[in-house]
Amino acid sequence: MSIFVKRKSRDAEMRSLSGDRQTLRQSAEREFKRQFFGLLLVIVMWSLAMGWLLALATNAQSAVPTAEIGTVDVVPAQYQLGQELYLENCSTCHIGIPPAALPTQTWKNLLQDSQHYGAQIKPLVDPPRILVWKYLSTFSRIQLDDEETPYRLNNSRYFKALHPGVQLPRPVQVGSCVSCHPSASDYNFRQLTAEWK
């Protein structure tokens, strides 16, 4: 075979290889684009689904008008049984106080003590005690390190902060809540008398 024939066959092979490489490159580029758009589609669908779920959750919380809520805080379903048990056990003798009025340490001590403001009570036992504690600890506030644990409303800085500019009766008693919150006995502290609206 002559050099000319060998060169022609080598050139043909090179073109064939070059064509194969180009075909492979184009195929790889198409596959990359397909995977990229597939991933992009998955991200967009995931974002839409999460947005839709978030919108549902937000709408579910805002579906209840504040006039119907009653309590100071909206109580999620996982704490509602604890709230019901709290009211069942505590508001039979006096008005149930919203957890935010006293710090968490006060509520902890009150749940553990059988002496309740001069009256002997039967302390809650588990599991109701745990449910009530989860409700109270979630919706109460922390106590400062240098702060004494308040056991009376008029000693609680939170109670004072919740009532700025209010001339509180002396002494502040649980029953005096009704003078400004007419539905306090129903654990509704959102409804106020006409002078505070």
Side-chain angles (χ1 to χ4, degrees), residues 43-138:
I43 291 171
V44 167
M45 294 303 289
W46 175 259
S47 298
L48 289 173
M50 294 308 291
W52 179 71
L53 289 172
L54 185 60
L56 282 177
T58 305
N59 288 340
Q61 288 180 351
S62 64
V64 180
T66 55
E68 293 178 21
I69 294 170
T71 62
V72 176
D73 297 306
V74 176
V75 180
Q78 72 239 37
Y79 301 109
Q80 287 177 356
L81 182 57
Q83 181 188 41
E84 289 171 21
L85 289 167
Y86 163 70
L87 292 172
E88 182 181 303
N89 287 282
C90 300
S91 68
T92 53
C93 299
H94 58 76
I95 291 171
I97 301 168
L102 295 168
T104 306
Q105 188 61 43
T106 302
W107 292 113
K108 182 179 181 186
N109 295 348
L110 289 174
L111 278 176
Q112 295 172 345
D113 196 2
S114 62
Q115 285 294 324
H116 189 73
Y117 297 101
Q120 182 73 26
I121 61 168
K122 184 179 173 186
L124 285 173
V125 293
D126 294 346
R129 184 189 63 81
I130 293 170
L131 293 169
V132 169
W133 170 244
K134 284 186 179 183
Y135 165 67
L136 292 173
S137 64
T138 300

Side-chain angles (χ1 to χ4, degrees), residues 165-192:
V166 176
Q167 291 296 331
L168 299 170
R170 295 276 179 211
V172 175
Q173 296 181 352
V174 176
S176 41
C177 299
V178 179
S179 61
C180 297
H181 304 277
S183 297
S185 57
D186 297 325
Y187 203 58
N188 182 340
F189 292 90
R190 288 186 183 273
Q191 187 178 28
L192 298 170

Side-chain angles (χ1 to χ4, degrees), residues 1-13:
M1 240 197 244
S2 75
I3 295 178
F4 181 71
V5 174
K6 285 183 183 177
R7 193 175 278 169
K8 258 189 168 179
S9 94
R10 217 177 332 159
D11 287 346
E13 281 178 34

Side-chain angles (χ1 to χ4, degrees), residues 150-163:
Y151 289 98
R152 301 283 178 191
L153 286 174
N154 58 332
N155 295 335
S156 170
R157 68 185 174 92
Y158 292 118
F159 180 77
K160 292 173 188 172
L162 291 168
H163 297 83

